[in-house]
Structure formats: structure tokens, C-alpha cells
Amino acid sequence: MATESFPRPIGTRRRFSALLTATALGVYLLLIVGATTSLTNAAASCSTWPTCHAPVDPLSQTELAIAWAHRLTAVVVGLLVTATALAAIFGDASSKVRAVLVVATLLYIVQVGVGAVTATIGPAAILPGLHLALGLVIFSGIVLALAWDLEIATGSDDDAIDSPEPLADLEEDVPTASERTLPSSRFARARLTAFAYFQMMKPRLMWLLCLVAAAGMALAAGPGLEIYTIVATLGGGVLAIGASGTFNHVLERDVDQKMSRTADRPLAVDLIPVRNALAFGLGLTALSLGAFLTINRLAAALGLAAIMFYSVVYTLVLKPNTVQNTVIGGAAGALPALIGWAAVTNEIGWPGLALAGVIFLWTPAHFYNLALAYKDDYARGGFPMMPVVRGETVTRKHILYYIAATFVSTIALAWITELGALYAGTVVVFGGIFLWAAVRLHFERTEAAAFRSFHASNAFLGAVLVAILVDALAF
């Protein structure tokens, strides 16, 4: 039976962590609802505080409902913040967790006051953006408290890898080129070779990156998005992803032989000659640039930059040399957002940059789960991934940090664009699933839990991108 380290009804540390998680999600929900209130000018329909009087104009009933939702959410979240702080004060929380939660509670009271003044006098009465800034500080503080509490509850001081165990049986399991028996049928050999070339293009990455580019186009064009722009941009994007993947296979073919998850790649087993793979990658690059050039030169330049960044900067410079490879390498996944925006506008705008920021910050929160699952494999390959160099405890903590940063970036995207209720509901629901999976990862600390969090991150981003598409194109 777990020791009751916190006052009832919380009792156990795991329940306290659950309360912290719920509080963080509540503040996040409040920030999203607040952004929606601002965008729809719903606050103008309610100039009294703490309650709202019915407006004279019946057309403002919807805005009034949004304003009411914001205030009711603030009440519930305020109770959560207070309860969490009290549980920390009277429970077995660390001093820094307790301090952060007390400060967050005091700032919440200040934020309520700022909101009251803004509602009754107007946004110009106090420094513009102060209400939102306070909310972001409160949210960041609660996530920090959650990460620190989970580190105390589930962490270990020494879980990095010093010397990985070699894969003794790998060479026996994967045949070399001289040992492999190719199919006797010409058709079967052609099908095997075609699949090998397809595998080099990393098709699993295509659906999500194409969604990123499509969301960028939708934000830029809205319902007026042209079919040709969609086809040319996504076609060029698929070819660019294929080229990047092919060059990655070429450059990592020796390291791939040391890792169980990559040992059967076409170049690692000499199924495809290196010169043929290079020619294939160059051909895909040329076709990709050709497709982008039918739109505009900026899209083509960004497409080439994406290929070069992933193939050279990430694969050769970042991945084998720095523990921050995943963080900086997130720029490769963020570029399709700019490509999609540029394909429509022939420029780089703030909404495109905001979407790229969401992808950039999401990437470590997403990939660190995979790095945890394949920790030993990456160590054998000599890659300084976060779990290998800093350990699993630090990696899990950084997953929470980057989830919080991703959530903040989705709020920024909502403020910059005109995305509405569908987007707001999607980021809150799927963000909650993602955060909950990451918290469970802390307690379970298994490969299955890491994959669960990994898939939750995919579901979060996929759902958010679809919501952006629908919101931008249909409303």
C-alpha cells in the first residue's frame, strides 16, 4: 500500500502528480479559451464583472457564451491551482515545487484582477498583453513543478550509458551481399529492388510532413487555395523527403550495420550500390526543385534548404556530435510549414513562422520518446542522443519541458491567426492525451510506455494539423 505523503483526498505522490497534470491542462485550456475570446472579440459583449449581463444585440449571444465559458473556466482552474498549492504546502513536496506553486497561485490572483480591469475598462487600461503573459508564466511554473515532482518520484541519478553492449548476433541475423540469395524470377528481383528504393525515401515521414506543408498553405490561402498549388507543393515535398531520406541512407550506411533497427536497410546490406543511391537521390532532388519552381523560386529555395539541412547539417554535423541534435534538427521538420506558406504568398509571414515554431518545439517532445525506446541501439551507433548522454530521467523531464513549449506555441499560433473553436478544442483534447502519456512514461519507465507517448505525440500533431486545415479552409 502506497504511503500517504499528501493530505486526503490526494494521499499518494502519484495522485499529486495527477493533480498537477490536471492543473497544467486546466491553465492551458484557459489560455486557449482566452485566445478564442480575444480573436472573436467576445470580451466586448461582456463589459461587467464578475458576471455578464445579456447583450441588447441578439447577434452577440455567441460571443457572450464564449465570454461566459472563459470566466467559468477561470473559476474551475482557480480552484485547481489553489488545491494544488495547498496540497504541496501540507504534503511531501520539495521546497522548490512548493515555492513555484505558491507563486503561481499569487500570480493567478493578480491575473484575475487584470482580467477584471480589462473587461470593465478595456484592454488599453493596462499594459496590452499583460493578461496573457501572466497566464503563460503561471502555466510554465506549473509544468516546471510537475517535471521536478516527477523527477523526485521516479528519477534515478545514474541511468546514462557508458559502454553499450555489442550486438553479437547481428551479423548472423542479417545476411551480407555475398550471402544473400536473390529471387530467381526477374519480376521478383525487380519488385525487391523497387521496394528497396522506396524504403530509402523514408515513406513513414511523408504523411506528417505533407500535412505540415498543407497546413501552411491553408493558413496562407484559406478557402481560395488552388488545386495546382496543392499538387505541386505536396509533390515537390514528397520528392524532397525522398531525396533527404536517400542521402541519409547513404551517409549512415556503416553506422546502420551496428544498430538492430537499421541493420536491414538497403545500403547497410549492400542491396543497392552507393553510386545508384546517390544518383537516385540527386534525381529526386532535381525533380523536387522542378516541381517547386513551377510555383515560385522561394518555395524551391526552401525545398533545397530542407534537403541540405537534413542530409548534411543534421546527418553529418548534428546527429553524431551533439546531444542537442534533435532540438536543432527540428528545423528540418519545420521547413515544410514555410514551404507551404511561401508556395501561396511567395514570402515568409508570421503565421507560417508560428506554425514552423510549433513543429520545431514539438520535435524533441516527440523524438525523445523514440530515443528512450532505442537507447541501447543509439549507443551502439555512437549517437549522443539525450538518453545515452544525460540518462533517461533527464530525457523524460525534457519531454515535459518541450510539451509545455509546444503548448505555448499553439497558443501563439491561435493569437496570430484566425483559427477558431475547432482548433482550440483539438489542441486541448489531444494535448491532454499527449501530456498524460508523458506522465505515465515517468511512472512506468518501459519501452511500451515510451512508444505510447511517441504515438500520442504523432496523434497530437496530426490532429492539430487536420484541425488547422479544416478551420482555415471551411470556416
Side-chain angles (χ1 to χ4, degrees), residues 96-393:
K96 61 181 181 180
V97 169
R98 193 177 296 123
V100 166
L101 291 176
V102 169
V103 170
T105 304
L106 295 175
L107 287 177
Y108 194 86
I109 296 172
V110 174
Q111 188 191 28
V112 170
V114 172
V117 173
T118 302
T120 54
I121 301 178
I126 298 181
L127 183 67
L130 178 60
H131 190 61
L132 174 64
L134 286 170
L136 292 175
V137 171
I138 294 166
F139 174 72
S140 301
I142 292 172
V143 172
L144 276 176
L146 175 61
W148 292 338
D149 181 72
L150 289 172
E151 183 180 23
I152 294 170
T154 67
S156 173
D157 293 332
D158 186 18
D159 53 9
I161 295 180
D162 295 325
S163 55
E165 297 180 3
L167 288 179
D169 300 328
L170 183 59
E171 295 182 357
E172 299 177 5
D173 296 338
V174 181
T176 63
S178 59
E179 297 171 336
R180 184 184 302 104
T181 301
L182 295 175
S184 57
S185 166
R186 181 178 298 178
F187 175 76
R189 287 199 303 271
R191 185 172 61 180
L192 179 64
T193 302
F195 181 75
Y197 278 102
F198 179 69
Q199 187 181 4
M200 286 194 301
M201 295 175 68
K202 296 196 172 182
R204 292 181 180 178
L205 300 178
M206 290 178 179
W207 73 273
L208 198 57
L209 293 176
C210 284
L211 263 181
V212 174
M217 288 187 283
L219 285 175
L225 184 59
E226 297 179 356
I227 297 297
Y228 179 79
T229 303
I230 298 173
V231 174
T233 304
L234 296 186
V238 166
L239 293 167
I241 296 165
S244 302
T246 300
F247 293 137
N248 176 265
H249 275 245
V250 171
L251 295 171
E252 290 188 347
R253 63 188 184 278
D254 294 331
V255 178
D256 284 343
Q257 296 174 354
K258 303 176 183 178
M259 302 169 60
S260 61
R261 63 184 290 260
T262 58
D264 62 345
R265 284 180 173 176
L267 273 80
V269 296
D270 298 324
L271 182 59
I272 302 294
V274 174
R275 65 178 182 277
N276 291 8
L278 283 172
F280 182 62
L282 291 171
L284 291 174
T285 301
L287 291 172
S288 172
L289 295 180
F292 285 136
L293 283 171
T294 64
I295 307 171
N296 58 60
R297 286 180 290 182
L298 179 58
L302 289 170
L304 180 60
I307 295 172
M308 294 298 295
F309 187 89
Y310 184 78
S311 303
V312 179
V313 178
Y314 175 71
T315 302
L316 288 181
V317 180
L318 297 174
K319 190 174 179 181
N321 294 306
T322 173
V323 72
Q324 297 299 325
N325 48 24
T326 300
V327 177
I328 305 170
L335 279 169
L338 300 182
I339 293 171
W341 181 271
V344 174
T345 65
N346 197 23
E347 63 181 14
I348 296 175
W350 285 112
L353 287 169
L355 179 60
V358 172
I359 310 304
F360 180 80
L361 293 169
W362 166 86
T363 301
H366 162 76
F367 185 78
Y368 282 159
N369 295 290
L370 198 65
L372 284 169
Y374 292 117
K375 173 184 174 183
D376 294 330
D377 228 8
Y378 282 118
R380 280 188 289 268
F383 294 121
M385 297 301 180
M386 181 72 75
V388 177
V389 177
R390 304 279 177 83
E392 295 185 17
T393 300

